[in-house]
Amino acid sequence: MTQFEFVERATATIASNRRASMVRRELLSHLDMKQTELIENGIDVVDAEKLALESMGDPAIIADQYYLPRTSLKLGTLILAGIPLLGSAILALQSPPDVLIWMIVVATIAVIAEPGASLTVRFHGLGQTLNASRLLVGVSALEGLAQVIIMLSGIGSPTGPLLVIVEFIISWLIVLYLCWQRQPGSRWTPGALAWMASLPFLAIGGSAFWLSHWNSAFLVWWEQLRSFTMMGMSLAASVFVLAHLWEVIQALKARDVHASAKRATRLSSAPQQD
Amino acid sequence: MVKSVPALLVLKALEREVTHGYRIANWINQVSDGALELQEGTLYPLLHNLEKKGLIVGEWRREEGQREVRVYRLTERGHRQLRQDESIWKGMAAGVNRVLNQEGGVAHDPI
């Protein structure tokens, strides 16, 4: 186990990314100090790293201390989910459902249903943790906000299709960057994979949609692709939602097991009374 | 009763100086002649819990050698809590010591 794997495991139960990142930085700083002290005492660098890590004990013990069952949705999550919802509601009133609405709805579900980390990637150097689905949702939220502003300001919707393609490019760049930066310990969940699977449909549909607005010659192409795109997006969105539900159930099960284990520990350590 | 002895020790360590977790653990270990060892698994969650309660405040600082550390200091509330817990603990420890130092005991009547 490396130091990064250790801090990752030790902070696995912390729900807040920002808080987990802070604890990871602190633990790494502690390990660094321990290692320096050992080196100053004449221990070899490699051995010092190993010994420092061993002195920390089992990361599960630290993780257990931070374990708190998630009981409520955070305000930030609600705001983030609210903006795309508002955007999609306005769009739905303005025009029939299209790619944008699907995308925004999927992103909203991602925020609400997300039980923990879907695709978490750590930037150890910065002591940061970024969650791919949160980033993607963040992009969707920005887009939703832009839609709201566009609709309310009366500019019209020529920028709408452009936003689809811009969001698509940004989303893919984020995904590619996260894949490139992926560190040991991060995991691909069915939810994350389903989200990825929806992106090619978004690419095809989004491009066609954009081109049809740019040049009416592409309108036929868009009309032909519309049902295909919708079907793919719907399928991916369904898998995404089901995968997330499965993750939520697993997380709840784990919470029950954890609570039972804690109860059992308390009972076994309680003084016996005759 | 004192709610948490490790918390009392950490507050005491921070009364002495503004410092980081590593030094807190070392100081407690040294002062107690190795009798008390605050494991990392206890120390950091405890520090963060105390911070959440507003008894201590943490901030990142750059130490010599460009190392970044999170140092903690006692708040006014932390000082008050320390005084209170310290007084309770001393009274309790004195009571326990008096009980343990009792020599002999009341002879039981054989049945």
Side-chain angles (χ1 to χ4, degrees):
Chain A
M1 183 167 48
T2 65
Q3 290 189 349
F4 296 128
E5 284 169 337
F6 176 89
V7 295
E8 176 52 40
R9 287 183 198 178
T11 55
T13 50
I14 302 175
S16 155
N17 267 359
R18 198 172 50 178
R19 192 167 154 74
S21 164
M22 191 272 285
V23 177
R24 273 194 288 274
R25 272 174 78 190
E26 200 168 3
L27 289 173
L28 284 171
S29 161
H30 182 104
L31 274 162
D32 186 36
M33 283 186 272
K34 184 89 189 167
Q35 198 179 326
T36 308
E37 189 187 281
L38 289 166
I39 292 167
E40 280 169 3
N41 288 338
I43 294 171
D44 175 54
V45 177
V46 179
D47 288 342
E49 190 179 340
K50 202 178 156 192
L51 284 171
L53 200 57
E54 279 172 9
S55 74
M56 300 289 276
D58 187 352
I61 295 170
I62 301 179
D64 191 57
Q65 301 286 319
Y66 284 112
Y67 181 81
L68 274 178
R70 194 173 171 179
T71 50
S72 59
L73 279 172
K74 290 183 218 155
L75 184 67
T77 305
L78 286 172
I79 294 169
L80 205 58
I83 294 168
L85 266 182
L86 189 62
S88 58
I90 291 172
L91 270 174
L93 289 172
Q94 298 269 335
S95 61
D98 55 25
V99 176
L100 273 178
I101 296 174
W102 272 112
M103 193 169 55
I104 291 165
V105 169
V106 168
T108 308
I109 293 164
V111 175
I112 295 168
E114 189 190 23
S118 285
L119 167 58
T120 311
V121 181
R122 285 107 208 150
F123 294 84
H124 295 310
L126 301 169
Q128 295 292 321
T129 295
L130 295 177
N131 185 303
S133 64
R134 281 188 192 169
L135 271 173
L136 292 168
V137 165
V139 174
S140 296
L142 281 175
E143 194 223 310
L145 186 65
Q147 287 294 340
V148 172
I149 294 166
I150 288 163
M151 297 297 173
L152 295 180
S153 62
I155 298 168
S157 60
T159 48
L162 184 65
L163 276 172
V164 177
I165 209 77
V166 168
E167 181 182 359
F168 163 73
I169 292 166
I170 292 172
S171 304
W172 260 111
L173 284 176
I174 290 169
V175 170
L176 290 174
Y177 185 61
L178 291 174
C179 292
W180 173 56
Q181 285 282 337
R182 194 164 177 264
Q183 299 287 340
S186 55
R187 63 197 180 98
W188 293 90
T189 61
L193 289 171
W195 172 251
M196 297 277 285
S198 73
L199 289 176
F201 292 103
L202 184 64
I204 297 164
S207 308
F209 184 56
W210 179 62
L211 288 170
S212 69
H213 276 73
W214 175 61
N215 190 326
S216 57
F218 290 100
L219 202 61
V220 180
W221 188 38
W222 161 239
E223 287 303 329
Q224 284 172 345
L225 279 170
R226 189 184 179 98
S227 59
F228 167 74
T229 309
M230 287 299 130
M231 190 186 69
M233 287 290 286
S234 312
L235 193 68
S238 308
V239 175
F240 185 82
V241 173
L242 287 173
H244 266 296
L245 279 174
W246 182 78
E247 282 183 56
V248 170
I249 292 164
Q250 294 301 313
L252 288 173
K253 272 188 185 171
R255 193 173 71 178
D256 287 345
V257 169
H258 185 92
S260 310
K262 272 201 139 175
R263 249 193 324 272
T265 313
R266 262 203 309 274
L267 287 173
S268 62
S269 61
Q272 298 295 311
Q273 291 183 351
D274 295 324
Chain B
M1 293 283 272
V2 174
K3 281 180 190 165
S4 158
V5 176
L8 174 61
L9 297 173
V10 166
L11 292 178
K12 188 70 189 169
L14 290 175
E15 188 195 34
R16 213 178 118 260
E17 62 170 339
V18 174
T19 189
H20 48 73
Y22 187 71
R23 198 169 290 159
I24 292 171
N26 275 357
W27 182 76
I28 292 171
N29 189 257
Q30 278 167 17
V31 171
S32 67
D33 286 331
L36 301 172
E37 196 178 343
L38 213 53
Q39 291 288 333
E40 290 77 6
T42 308
L43 177 65
Y44 288 100
L46 176 64
L47 281 169
H48 302 143
N49 196 26
L50 292 173
E51 193 179 14
K52 214 171 162 185
K53 286 179 182 169
L55 301 177
I56 61 174
V57 177
E59 60 170 329
W60 287 98
R61 268 192 203 168
R62 197 168 283 279
E63 268 201 339
E64 72 281 357
Q66 297 296 298
R67 178 196 285 137
E68 261 202 315
V69 290
R70 190 165 170 82
V71 295
Y72 295 91
R73 66 172 171 80
L74 270 189
T75 61
E76 198 48 52
R77 216 171 133 198
H79 275 289
R80 280 201 303 273
Q81 186 73 45
L82 174 63
R83 292 281 83 80
Q84 190 187 327
D85 285 359
E86 209 173 349
S87 151
I88 295 170
W89 174 259
K90 281 177 179 168
M92 211 171 80
V96 172
N97 281 337
R98 275 196 295 275
V99 172
L100 294 178
N101 290 336
Q102 278 289 313
E103 289 200 6
V106 180
H108 290 283
D109 290 332
I111 300 171

